[in-house]
Each structure stands twice: as C-alpha cells, then as structure tokens.
Amino acid sequence: GIQVEQSPPDLILQEGANSTLRCNFSDSVNNLQWFHQNPWGQLINLFYIPSGTKQNGRLSATTVATERYSLLYISSSQTTDSGVYFCAVPLTGGGNKLTFGTGTQLKVEL
Amino acid sequence: GAGVSQSPRYKVAKRGQDVALRCDPISGHVSLFWYQQALGQGPEFLTYFQNEAQLDKSGLPSDRFFAERPEGSVSTLKIQRTQQEDSAVYLCASSLVGDNEKLFFGSGTQLSVL
C-alpha cells in the first residue's frame, strides 16, 4: 500500500517563528489533506490540496503531485498552533478512505 | 448540526462487555467514516458508509466490530465482547459525496477496556 512519511517528527518553536513541515508519499494521489490535532484530540481539517498552493491566514500548503510531496508552512507561530500535524492520502484510488502519515509533533513556546 | 457529534466522549468497559458508540454527522453529508486512533499513532480507517449503505468494512479488525447507519444519518459502531486491545479513540468523520471533498472529524470517543 501507499506509504506516507512526514518530517520532522518533532519540532519546538519560539512564538513568532516560521516553520515548514513536509509530507512524502510513495504513489500518485488525487486527494491530499492536512490536519491539525490539538492537545485535546480534536482533528481539524486545514487544507484539501491534491496539487498547487493554498493559503489560509498564517498557514499555507503546497503539493507537488508529480514529485510526490506536500509542504505545510506555518508563519508567525502561536502557542495555539501546538499539537500534531498529519497529512493524509487515499489508501486506494480516491475518496476519503485515508491513510495518515506519521505526524509532526509541534510545540510552540513563549 | 454545526459539526460531527460523537457520544459518549469517554467510555470505560470491563473486558467482555459490549459497547455502542454514536456518531451524528454534519447535516447533508452523505459519506460517513469510522477511524480508530491508538495512542501516539495516526487514525486508521475502519469502515465507510454512503447514505445507509456500508460500502467498505475492510478496516474492521475482527467480527466483534459492527457498524450501522440504518437511516443514512446517525451511525453506531458496536464492539462486542471488548478486549484490552480495543482500547483506543474512535473517530467518526463525514464529508459530502465525491472524491474531492474535505473530511471533517468529530471529537472522538475514548474507549478504555479494563
């Protein structure tokens, strides 16, 4: 099956810093989503981004489908950005039967 | 509703008991998914409904797990004769029909089997 790897596994930032999270996947996909799981366990959908670039406030994401990777940019990080960031792609074909990456644990400190 | 609603938020069961976990998806969302998340891991797919039809149950770990969505809205995940290895967070998610739709998750039910 498709493999999804994320880097770095852990990241500690000072408030206000910028960061880039990476997601590599082993096969072509037509669906890629980024999620943030906050410290209380809630999974929030950040982006649906099978290709191209999208921005939402301080967050933006870019997927280069031909090279099988996606990047999530966090600018001017805040303590509320802490948590685990997952990328996810379809297990087979398309749709929302997803396999999740290994995750990046982010901690933003004052 | 405004979001995906799950209940109970926490469930403690003695080994061998049956449990039922409820999911109320976002109104109008045709597709409903159940995922299982073990501690420190990403969610793993269990099963998928489109309306009342269960189209994929390939992720259910054993025949002790059963899911239904009889009227195409609320869904229930039932686990019979719970075992300690069933302890996990069970997440429900919904989306509009189609391959190009964002997936929205509920807060999950944390199941602890003693």
Side-chain angles (χ1 to χ4, degrees), chain A residues 46-108:
Chain A
L46 300 175
F47 294 102
Y48 171 88
I49 184 164
S51 64
T53 297
K54 290 186 178 179
Q55 180 152 7
N56 184 1
R58 297 182 295 104
L59 303 182
S60 64
T62 295
T63 297
V64 183
T66 53
E67 297 187 21
R68 300 180 183 172
Y69 73 88
S70 183
L71 302 174
L72 178 69
Y73 305 94
I74 304 174
S75 64
S76 305
S77 58
Q78 300 177 357
T79 56
T80 52
D81 295 331
S82 297
V84 182
Y85 289 81
F86 291 103
C87 65
V89 300
L91 272 165
T92 55
N96 279 322
K97 179 182 172 181
L98 301 177
T99 184
F100 282 70
T102 47
T104 292
Q105 174 87 52
L106 173 65
K107 183 176 182 181
V108 181

Side-chain angles (χ1 to χ4, degrees), chain A residues 30-31 33 35 37 40-48 50 86 91 94-102, chain B residues 9 33 35 37 40-45 56 58 91 95-96 98-108:
Chain A
N30 63 1
N31 175 351
Q33 300 181 53
F35 295 88
Q37 190 162 40
W40 297 271
Q42 176 69 52
L43 267 166
I44 305 296
N45 194 309
L46 300 175
F47 294 102
Y48 171 88
F86 291 103
L91 272 165
N96 279 322
K97 179 182 172 181
L98 301 177
T99 184
F100 282 70
T102 47
Chain B
R9 185 73 178 92
F33 301 80
Y35 284 78
Q37 187 173 22
Q41 306 290 320
E44 293 190 352
F45 170 81
D56 189 329
S58 61
L91 294 162
S95 68
L96 294 169
D99 289 346
N100 301 319
E101 302 294 342
K102 291 176 87 171
L103 189 62
F104 295 90
F105 280 87
S107 299

Side-chain angles (χ1 to χ4, degrees), chain B residues 66-87:
Chain B
F66 172 77
E68 61 183 4
R69 194 186 185 196
E71 297 179 359
S73 55
V74 171
S75 177
T76 303
L77 176 67
K78 298 179 179 178
I79 309 173
Q80 297 176 325
R81 304 181 303 282
T82 53
Q83 304 294 313
Q84 284 188 321
E85 61 263 29
D86 300 335
S87 297

